[in-house]
Amino acid sequence: MKKITIAIDGFSSTGKSTLAKQLARALGYVYVDTGAMYRAITLFAMNKGFIGANFENRDGLVAALSKIQLRFVFNEDLGFSEMYLNDKNVEAEIRKMEVSRNVSHIAEIEQVRIKLVALQKKMGEKKGIVMDGRDIGSVVFPEAELKIFMTASPEKRAYRRYKELLDRGEKIRYEEVLENVEKRDYIDSHREFSPLMKSSGAIEFDNSDMGLKEQFERMHNFALRVIEKQV
Ligand code: DC
């Protein structure tokens, strides 16, 4: 069976990664979470003092980009890949609220995007990949055989994220999460380079009122139909 490329884009906390992981597992494809790559560069920038609460040193970060090495390492026990930044597992650290607060600003930097898009294209050279992010269908794989654009109301998304953060033990208020979700939506959709948008040919998928099982079944069927048509 010929392999395809599946590009999943959408607003933050729409459940892209949950769906992408399930699809990849069912199809025997590789899953790549590109948000993790932007988050890892953000963590690097925070650790090196290139970004903080009220400051940003873009030139400093751009000059240091060549020192950043990113790798996904598959964790057999968890069943998915974890992000490594310069050989250190940063999977837990990059999910923290502090990183979420800074990541949109880092993702706006053209040189950061150029570096990461090149890496992502390389990862998908052999197809058989499910990649999620904001610019996958528009910039990374405009030729992807299946493109999905996921949406859900900001309130629903913030609530999902809030529960996730509480489960991880972060002390956080719902209103703060909602504010972060809305702020990131705005920055992600209005930035100069590769803004978040529904790319041509993408299927819009609003999952505000849909459970995980239904989402997976629908998308799995879409994927199987597209795969069957490949010659
Ligand atoms: O999917 P996420 O919330 O982990 O993504 C973190 C941030 O990275 C998000 O605010 C936008 C940015 N991002 C991006 O600009 N392009 C991508 N392909 C993936 C993420």
Side-chain angles (χ1 to χ4, degrees):
M1 198 69 94
K2 213 166 167 191
K3 292 189 168 181
I4 63 165
T5 300
I6 302 179
I8 305 184
D9 290 302
F11 293 101
S12 58
S13 304
T14 38
K16 298 185 295 294
S17 61
T18 307
L19 182 67
K21 258 183 226 163
Q22 285 182 325
L23 268 184
R25 197 171 302 139
L27 299 169
Y29 282 16
V30 171
Y31 163 61
V32 175
D33 168 5
T34 62
M37 301 168 83
Y38 288 91
R39 286 173 179 272
I41 295 203
T42 305
L43 182 65
F44 175 90
M46 287 162 61
N47 290 345
K48 298 283 180 198
F50 295 129
I51 192 164
N54 299 309
F55 66 96
E56 206 180 311
N57 172 3
R58 286 193 177 200
D59 292 342
L61 173 62
V62 169
L65 278 180
S66 61
K67 297 195 188 85
I68 302 180
Q69 204 210 32
L70 301 178
R71 229 164 19 110
F72 284 104
V73 178
F74 191 75
N75 182 324
E76 296 276 350
D77 296 334
L78 298 174
F80 61 85
S81 296
E82 295 178 297
M83 185 82 250
Y84 279 67
L85 165 64
N86 292 339
D87 292 325
K88 184 181 172 227
N89 183 336
V90 291
E91 189 57 36
E93 266 182 284
I94 59 170
R95 308 290 166 193
K96 293 199 168 154
M97 194 63 195
E98 196 54 34
V99 173
S100 299
R101 274 194 204 104
N102 291 317
V103 65
S104 290
H105 300 292
I106 298 297
E108 280 185 299
I109 304 172
E110 188 183 17
Q111 290 88 342
V112 168
R113 304 206 69 87
I114 290 172
K115 178 182 170 96
L116 293 189
V117 168
L119 272 173
Q120 291 152 9
K121 282 183 189 272
K122 210 163 172 42
M123 290 172 177
E125 263 172 355
K126 296 194 184 123
K127 294 190 178 267
I129 193 162
V130 184
M131 191 174 275
D132 78 14
R134 306 293 190 285
D135 59 343
I136 313 305
S138 55
V139 176
V140 184
F141 298 126
E143 72 294 347
E145 291 84 353
L146 179 58
K147 297 185 194 179
I148 299 164
F149 187 78
M150 292 181 69
T151 63
S153 69
E155 291 75 15
K156 284 259 157 93
R157 291 187 282 126
Y159 187 67
R160 289 174 190 161
R161 183 106 191 101
Y162 170 66
K163 275 195 6 199
E164 240 173 67
L165 290 166
L166 281 190
D167 286 348
R168 283 205 213 113
E170 278 207 48
K171 287 194 181 67
I172 193 106
R173 286 182 310 116
Y174 166 77
E175 290 73 21
E176 203 182 331
V177 181
L178 178 60
E179 197 187 314
N180 177 260
V181 161
E182 287 177 332
K183 202 165 160 190
R184 279 206 287 154
D185 284 357
Y186 185 84
I187 301 177
D188 292 348
S189 343
H190 289 83
R191 67 176 171 232
E192 190 178 353
F193 305 107
S194 321
L196 168 66
M197 57 169 177
K198 183 179 163 218
S199 65
S200 77
I203 299 168
E204 187 161 340
F205 192 60
D206 185 330
N207 65 12
S208 299
D209 299 305
M210 215 184 279
L212 289 180
K213 190 165 177 281
E214 187 183 350
Q215 288 182 52
F216 168 71
E217 282 169 0
R218 283 200 190 195
M219 285 301 134
H220 191 214
N221 282 334
F222 268 134
L224 292 178
R225 262 186 270 151
V226 175
I227 292 168
E228 272 166 19
K229 283 198 204 125
Q230 305 301 306
V231 277

